[in-house]
Amino acid sequence: MGNAIKSGTNNREKQRQLPKRIILVRHGESEGNLDKNVYAITPDHRVQLTEKGKEQGKKAGEIIRGVICDKGNCSSKVYFYVSPFLRTRETLKEIGAAFCSSEIVGVREECRLREMDYAKFQNTEKMEEYKMEREKYGKFFYRFPGGESAADVYDRVSGFIDSLWRDIDMDMIPYGAKEDLNVVVISHGLTIRVLLMRIFRWTPEQIDNLVSPKNAEVRIMELGNEGEYSLALHHDDQTLGKWGLSAEMIVDQKLRAYGPTVDLDKCFFPRYFDRLADK
């Protein structure tokens, strides 16, 4: 597959085999979201959902089902990829309750979808110092001492996306030719932002302005008219703006959704070249 999320080929038949939607969901409210001191006594991967977080997960499942099913008659199939952290797996359990077993064609724990490694989260006071330092340095390239940067997360998320395309190419996800496939990814705030960056080829400067999804927030990408994934088919300009997308990025999403067919790379030439001659 190519470096964009479309198939990277002009073969229309191949594009029809891509998932109709890729749906990104952040975990529900966790104990750590309520009280950062939880990380001083509980490893990050073992932090649980609150009761409110479980209800949020259940609501997210209802939202997703409402999107992919037509008036309750669901001919679409769902495949889940989930971070191995406890709070994401608990969110998956609540989301899954909205579907019956025949509608779910698979689930896979995917370590590359885990939370960014902050390394010294146990020292909450020191962590606040690091976060202030990151604001000055730049969010994308700043690496927490002993941990990861968003750039590190980008590398492993890129590997996940490549694996997703291979799974589809090799028919590892079972669904019928007349069925729509929906891939649901349950992960973490920064990981979801970086995943969107990788899919839409956003720059480090652009992702620095993005806002993380709220707990159990659902962000939906759907194939547009020309075989490109877009957020604009399910989310309006105001919503995209609240997420931190610039006017230029919103235009890009609309082009992906509705066309016309354009070279999306050339749309961003002015960002890099300001003295190109028109010939």
Side-chain angles (χ1 to χ4, degrees), residues 72-138:
N73 181 22
C74 200
S75 60
S76 296
K77 300 299 182 182
V78 183
Y79 193 99
F80 291 101
Y81 288 93
V82 60
S83 158
F85 280 30
L86 180 57
R87 56 187 178 273
T88 43
R89 289 186 285 117
E90 289 180 331
T91 302
L92 167 63
K93 181 178 179 179
E94 300 301 330
I95 290 174
F99 299 91
C100 64
S101 59
S102 63
E103 295 163 348
I104 300 174
V105 294
V107 58
R108 184 181 306 176
E109 282 191 32
E110 175 53 72
C111 286
R112 290 170 291 187
L113 294 173
R114 67 188 183 275
E115 176 67 284
M116 185 169 78
D117 185 356
Y118 292 92
K120 297 181 179 179
F121 227 139
Q122 288 79 3
N123 188 335
T124 55
E125 187 174 314
K126 196 68 176 176
M127 182 55 61
E128 291 306 313
E129 292 181 20
Y130 292 147
K131 288 184 177 180
M132 291 175 62
E133 189 176 79
R134 180 179 62 168
E135 290 295 325
K136 297 177 182 178
Y137 187 91

Side-chain angles (χ1 to χ4, degrees), residues 247-265:
E248 179 185 56
M249 294 162 76
I250 293 172
V251 168
D252 173 43
Q253 291 300 312
K254 289 182 175 179
L255 287 172
R256 291 172 178 274
Y258 307 113
T261 304
V262 294
D263 186 333
L264 291 171
D265 285 327

Side-chain angles (χ1 to χ4, degrees), residues 16-185:
R16 284 198 292 271
Q17 295 177 11
L18 291 174
K20 182 174 183 179
R21 303 177 190 89
I22 298 178
I23 302 173
L24 310 178
V25 189
R26 185 186 174 193
H27 60 82
E29 180 187 79
S30 72
E31 293 173 341
N33 293 138
L34 282 185
D35 181 5
K36 299 299 183 186
N37 292 315
V38 167
Y39 294 107
I41 58 175
T42 306
D44 193 10
H45 65 281
R46 293 181 183 170
V47 173
Q48 300 179 347
L49 292 184
T50 63
E51 288 303 314
K52 179 180 177 180
K54 293 177 181 179
E55 288 299 318
Q56 290 172 331
K58 187 178 299 183
K59 180 64 176 177
E62 294 169 357
I63 291 172
I64 294 168
R65 185 178 179 83
V67 167
I68 70 176
C69 297
D70 182 21
K71 298 178 182 179
N73 181 22
C74 200
S75 60
S76 296
K77 300 299 182 182
V78 183
Y79 193 99
F80 291 101
Y81 288 93
V82 60
S83 158
F85 280 30
L86 180 57
R87 56 187 178 273
T88 43
R89 289 186 285 117
E90 289 180 331
T91 302
L92 167 63
K93 181 178 179 179
E94 300 301 330
I95 290 174
F99 299 91
C100 64
S101 59
S102 63
E103 295 163 348
I104 300 174
V105 294
V107 58
R108 184 181 306 176
E109 282 191 32
E110 175 53 72
C111 286
R112 290 170 291 187
L113 294 173
R114 67 188 183 275
E115 176 67 284
M116 185 169 78
D117 185 356
Y118 292 92
K120 297 181 179 179
F121 227 139
Q122 288 79 3
N123 188 335
T124 55
E125 187 174 314
K126 196 68 176 176
M127 182 55 61
E128 291 306 313
E129 292 181 20
Y130 292 147
K131 288 184 177 180
M132 291 175 62
E133 189 176 79
R134 180 179 62 168
E135 290 295 325
K136 297 177 182 178
Y137 187 91
K139 295 179 182 177
F140 186 74
F141 292 109
Y142 180 84
R143 178 179 287 116
F144 286 88
E148 288 185 302
S149 66
D152 296 322
V153 177
Y154 180 93
D155 291 340
R156 56 177 163 87
V157 162
S158 294
F160 162 71
I161 292 173
D162 290 341
S163 295
L164 172 60
W165 297 149
R166 283 195 296 272
D167 287 347
I168 294 166
D169 282 345
M170 299 176 67
D171 295 325
M172 300 295 288
I173 301 178
Y175 68 104
K178 296 183 179 180
E179 296 172 327
D180 290 331
L181 176 65
N182 300 271
V183 169
V184 179
V185 176

